[in-house]
Structure formats: C-alpha cells, structure tokens
C-alpha cells in the first residue's frame, strides 16, 4: 500500500485478498473508524462543549469515571451495535457483557474495548486513546456470554488503537504487520502514514511509574536499578525515562522509536493481579507489539498465551523492544 492511501481503500484491498470474504470484517472496521472519528471530535472540542471533568460515577473497577469516558463508551457501543457485525460487546466502562437487544441483527464478531484509555489525562489536555480487540464469537451461539469472551490473545482477529494526540492516528493489525493511519481533518479520512511499523530491537528508554518503586518485586527492581546505574553499571549505557500515564501514548512512542513499558504487579496491587486489564488493554497492545517485532510479557509468561477467566481481569504488563523485554523475561525466570 502506498503512503497516503485511505484506510477504507486498504481495508477493501485486504478483503480482496481473502477469497470468499463476506465483507463483515471490513464493515466492522469501518464502524470502529467512524466511532473513533466521533470520539476524536469530542476530545478535541473539550470544554468548548463542557465535557471535561468527572461524571461523579464509578466503573466496576472502582475508578471514578470522567464525562468523556462515558461519552466515548456510548459512542463506541452504539456505533458497533447499530453496525450489526458484532454478536456482543464488552468494555472497561460496562460491568458486564453488552448483549444486543432481542431480535437485533447480529454478526460473528466480539469486540472488547477501552473507549478512552489514559483518561486521568483528559482534564490536563494530555494524549488519550481508544483501544480495541476483535475476537470471533463461537459458531452457533446467538447471544454470547462472558464465558464466550474467554479467549486468549492469540485468538484475536485484529487489534488496534486510535491515539488522540497532536494528530489523531489509528494503528491497526490484522496479524500481518502493523500500519498507522493519520486522520486528515480536512477530508475526514484516515490516510496511511506509518506503513509496516517495526520496533527497534534495542533501546535506552524505559517507562514505569517510579512512585511505586518501594512496592516492586525483585526482578523489576533489579532491572530498573541497572538502568539507573547507566554507563557505569552492568548495562553499560545511560537510559532515559518517560511516563505519560497513558498506555496508548507509551505504546505509540515505543512503536515509533523503541523503548520498554512496564506496569508490573507489585505488593500494593498483587491481590488484584496487576493494574492493566488483560482483554482490552494488554492483549490488543501485545498483538500490536508482537506484530511489530517486539515482545509482550507479564514477567515470566507471554501475555497473549493467557486464558482469561474474567472480563475485567488484570495482569502485569511489560512490553516493547525485543532485546530489552528479553532481559526482563530472563530476570523473571532466573
Ligand atoms: P484507564 O484505562 O483508567 O485510563 O487506566 C489505564 C492507564 C494506562 O493508560 C496507564 O498506563 C496507567 O493507567 C497509568 O497508571 P498510573 O496512574 O498508576 O501511573
Ligand atoms: Mg485503560
């Protein structure tokens, strides 16, 4: 595909590669693209239309929802429901599986999403994004249950995110590499700007919330201590650090110039399994990272190999440049 080709065109071309394809996937992706354009519009308008700030409600994870969390969730859910390519939906902002109304036309896909990741950043005008994962509904199941969503990340049909930063960029994988498309605001169309993204295998940049340092387990503590020791330490190089507190922004930076991102389990959050959610944060990002030549692990294991046991399950996340994540894997399995 040539730089500048529209996302719509790329999706139709891909559909042509699959003999007998029904076009359902293309339509679903088209709905996701539409939803992200609408969310991007809201994010960019911000307080011009009075949508910043807290909604004074809590999601199932006990986190206070922002007005934009709820708006984004409604936009994404309604767009996909009306699109008729899904059998059921699940979101960070909804306690349970979202079932389609009785008699509603439905398709063969499941979509799991975080409608607005990094939402603690909304009010301070820092980058946020939408993350999504597409799975196949089990054949013959009319109204999928939570159990039907319990598929490992290796079963994802596609994954992506849309980042609402200085530009709005959609990053996508269907298991054949990773491509990025920038929204051309003048014509309302995403255009291919980042073809075949590959993550540099080596890096000197890590991202972790250092305020949790005293709670870390030994392998993470060892790794960060060695990074901080710089040229004089065992790694023999000086490291740089970044922490946006918006996973979409961290992953996008890593896809662009390499790096390693860690939200490990620590003694403060051990009981809940980690901070980030497996199905709509860790798995889609892991698929993108692996497809771009990187690695995504919990510490000892590959994220995408985990068989989920509940929708809002949390896991430790370590991902990014292959050689650096390998060091962390070695420390966790030594
Ligand atoms: P959210 O989905 O409620 O926004 O939470 C997930 C976000 C990630 O984007 C980010 O990596 C992490 O939470 C930041 O956490 P912390 O505030 O503990 O640094
Ligand atoms: Mg999130």
């Amino acid at each position: 595909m040539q730089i500048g080709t529209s996302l719509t065109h790329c999706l139709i071309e891909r559909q042509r590669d699959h003999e007998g394809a029904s076009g359902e996937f293309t339509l679903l992706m088209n709905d996701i693209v539409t939803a992200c354009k609408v969310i991007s519009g809201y994010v960019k308008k911000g307080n011009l239309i009075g949508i910043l700030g807290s909604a004074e409600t809590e999601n199932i994870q006990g986190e206070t929802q922002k007005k934009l969390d709820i708006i984004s969730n409604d936009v994404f859910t309604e767009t996909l429901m009306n699109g008729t390519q899904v059998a059921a939906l699940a979101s960070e902002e909804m306690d349970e599986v979202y079932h389609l109304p009785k008699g509603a036309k439905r398709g063969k896909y499941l979509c799991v999403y975080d409608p607005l990741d990094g939402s603690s950043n909304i009010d301070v005008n820092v980058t946020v994004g939408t993350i999504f994962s597409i799975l196949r509904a089990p054949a013959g199941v009319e109204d999928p249950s939570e159990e039907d969503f319990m598929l490992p990340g290796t079963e994802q049909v596609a994954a992506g995110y849309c980042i609402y930063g200085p530009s709005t960029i959609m990053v996508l994988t269907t298991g054949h590499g990773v491509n990025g498309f920038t929204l051309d605001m003048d014509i309302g169309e995403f255009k291919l700007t980042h073809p075949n993204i590959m993550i540099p295998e080596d890096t000197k940049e890590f991202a972790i919330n250092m305020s949790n340092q005293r709670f870390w387990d030994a392998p993470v503590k060892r790794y960060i201590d060695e990074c901080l020791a710089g040229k004089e330490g065992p790694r023999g190089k000086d490291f740089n650090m970044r922490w946006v507190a918006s996973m979409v922004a961290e992953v996008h930076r890593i896809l662009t110039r390499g790096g390693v991102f860690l939200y490990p389990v620590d003694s403060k959050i051990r009981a809940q399994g980690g901070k980030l959610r497996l199905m709509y944060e860790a798995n889609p990002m892991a698929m993108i990272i692996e497809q771009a030549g990187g690695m995504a692990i919990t510490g000892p294991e590959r994220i995408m190999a985990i068989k989920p046991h509940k929708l809002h399950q949390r896991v430790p996340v370590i991902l990014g440049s292959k050689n650096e994540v390998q060091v962390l894997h070695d420390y966790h399995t030594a």
Side-chain angles (χ1 to χ4, degrees):
M1 285 293 155
Q2 266 190 321
I3 301 267
T5 308
S6 76
L7 176 49
T8 317
H9 188 100
C10 291
L11 288 169
I12 294 168
E13 281 293 326
R14 272 228 68 84
Q15 186 186 318
R16 285 195 186 137
D17 294 342
H18 294 271
E19 216 180 303
S22 64
E24 247 186 270
F25 178 76
T26 307
L27 283 171
L28 171 57
M29 275 312 309
N30 199 53
D31 291 338
I32 290 175
V33 166
T34 303
C36 290
K37 282 183 197 167
V38 176
I39 297 170
S40 177
Y42 279 119
V43 169
K44 305 239 171 226
K45 285 192 189 86
N47 245 5
L48 288 173
I49 50 172
I51 53 171
L52 298 189
S54 168
E56 310 288 347
T57 50
E58 271 189 7
N59 64 16
I60 191 166
Q61 0 240 340
E63 298 160 345
T64 305
Q65 293 173 302
K66 304 273 183 186
K67 288 182 197 165
L68 259 172
D69 279 325
I70 295 177
I71 293 170
S72 307
N73 187 57
D74 289 350
V75 167
F76 208 91
T77 307
E78 278 164 31
T79 308
L80 265 62
M81 191 189 79
N82 294 332
T84 70
Q85 314 308 323
V86 291
L89 299 166
S91 155
E92 175 176 330
E93 304 304 338
M94 298 191 283
D95 298 2
E96 288 162 11
V97 167
Y98 183 88
H99 298 279
L100 269 56
K102 257 202 155 40
K105 201 162 171 261
R106 56 197 73 217
K108 61 180 177 215
Y109 294 105
L110 304 173
C111 187
V112 208
Y113 43 99
D114 179 352
L116 206 60
D117 182 61
S119 53
S120 69
N121 282 318
I122 293 172
D123 296 344
V124 290
N125 201 25
V126 170
T127 299
V128 288
T130 300
I131 312 173
F132 57 89
S133 159
I134 301 174
L135 297 157
R136 228 178 280 279
V141 175
E142 165 84 3
D143 190 13
S145 64
E146 179 166 344
E147 186 50 39
D148 295 319
F149 279 80
M150 298 298 105
L151 300 164
T154 47
E155 293 293 312
Q156 291 173 107
V157 175
Y161 64 79
C162 189
I163 182 167
Y164 313 116
S167 317
T168 292
I169 303 178
M170 175 75 77
V171 172
L172 262 185
T173 182
T174 54
H176 304 275
V178 181
N179 291 295
F181 302 82
T182 304
L183 181 60
D184 182 338
M185 297 286 191
D186 294 338
I187 58 166
E189 180 77 81
F190 283 98
K191 287 180 174 173
L192 182 62
T193 45
H194 301 67
N196 200 16
I197 300 172
M198 292 301 289
I199 305 173
E201 289 187 353
D202 292 297
T203 184
K204 293 179 179 176
E205 195 162 70
F206 66 87
I208 192 165
N209 185 337
M210 288 289 295
S211 70
N212 295 322
Q213 189 172 25
R214 67 192 187 284
F215 304 112
W216 293 341
D217 287 345
V220 171
K221 196 174 170 337
R222 174 183 174 191
Y223 175 77
I224 299 294
D225 282 350
E226 290 182 357
C227 292
L228 295 175
K231 264 202 184 104
E232 294 72 36
R235 302 302 310 280
K237 53 184 180 181
D238 288 335
F239 278 77
N240 185 28
M241 196 201 88
R242 287 286 181 275
W243 188 249
V244 189
S246 183
M247 193 197 197
V248 178
E250 323 275 9
V251 168
H252 196 73
R253 186 186 60 248
I254 289 169
L255 287 175
T256 310
R257 67 177 190 211
V260 58
F261 166 88
L262 302 94
Y263 213 120
V265 71
D266 62 39
S267 60
K268 196 172 68 173
I269 54 173
R270 198 175 318 282
Q272 63 186 49
K275 157 94 182 187
L276 299 170
R277 278 54 55 116
L278 174 61
M279 298 212 60
Y280 41 81
E281 292 175 327
N283 267 342
M285 290 312 202
M287 183 174 181
I288 292 167
I289 292 284
E290 285 196 9
Q291 283 292 318
M295 250 177 101
I297 57 171
T298 59
E301 60 182 338
R302 182 184 177 205
I303 288 173
M304 288 210 289
I306 301 172
K307 167 98 171 77
H309 57 82
K310 62 176 182 179
L311 208 50
H312 299 289
Q313 181 176 341
R314 297 178 192 251
V315 286
V317 174
I318 297 172
L319 54 78
S321 292
K322 196 176 186 172
N323 293 340
E324 212 58 34
V325 179
Q326 187 62 52
V327 171
L328 276 148
H329 184 262
D330 294 347
Y331 289 0
H332 279 88
T333 48

